[in-house]
Amino acid sequence: MNKRFAALTATLLIAGTLAACGQKEEVQPTTPAESTPAPTAPAASPGATPGTTQGEGGSQTAQAEALYKAQCIACHGTDLGGGIGPNLQKAGSRLSEADVKNILLNGKGGMPAFKGTLSDADIQALSAWLAAKK
């Protein structure tokens, strides 16, 4: 009985992980009273990594990290170390930003395409963030 339960649990865990890969996270709309104006992002300094800004973590970096957590973590791991999908810790050392963007838009292997799921700004932020991982 315990072996059957363990096998069933493992099967459900794998199925849930695969189902979560590529799903869009739903965001609850806010009312005007709840919303606050978005702060303007500071300009990138000359030594900044392309696609990021200096200041409080950089708005594109924060955006990319949030997207990664919502869309990619199930397959690529909490530390970008891989799992179902490949290791992304040094993705920028083997892929250009254009390569990463192409993979995000069109998918590759078992990875789904995010062309209709993520906005152009989201794709750009995530591409720049991953390409900076050297």
Side-chain angles (χ1 to χ4, degrees):
M1 180 72 174
N2 285 338
K3 288 182 182 181
R4 286 184 185 170
F5 180 73
L8 177 62
T9 303
T11 302
L12 290 174
L13 179 62
I14 291 169
T17 301
L18 289 175
C21 189
Q23 286 188 350
K24 190 171 186 174
E25 180 178 305
E26 290 196 28
V27 178
Q28 297 296 324
T30 60
T31 63
E34 294 174 333
S35 64
T36 58
T40 57
S45 66
T49 303
T52 63
T53 56
Q54 295 296 319
E56 297 177 22
S59 62
Q60 262 198 331
T61 299
Q63 177 187 9
E65 289 174 352
L67 286 165
Y68 181 84
K69 288 177 184 175
Q71 300 292 332
C72 313
I73 204 167
C75 296
H76 296 284
T78 56
D79 64 350
L80 289 92
I84 295 171
N87 182 317
L88 299 176
Q89 292 173 337
K90 295 184 180 182
S93 65
R94 61 185 188 277
L95 298 169
S96 70
E97 187 173 333
D99 293 336
V100 175
K101 186 174 185 177
N102 184 50
I103 293 169
L104 289 171
L105 287 170
N106 302 308
K108 181 177 180 184
M111 182 175 150
F114 286 91
K115 189 182 295 182
T117 306
L118 298 177
S119 70
D120 290 342
D122 289 345
I123 296 280
Q124 181 58 44
L126 199 49
S127 298
W129 183 70
L130 287 169
K133 305 288 181 196
K134 307 265 185 199

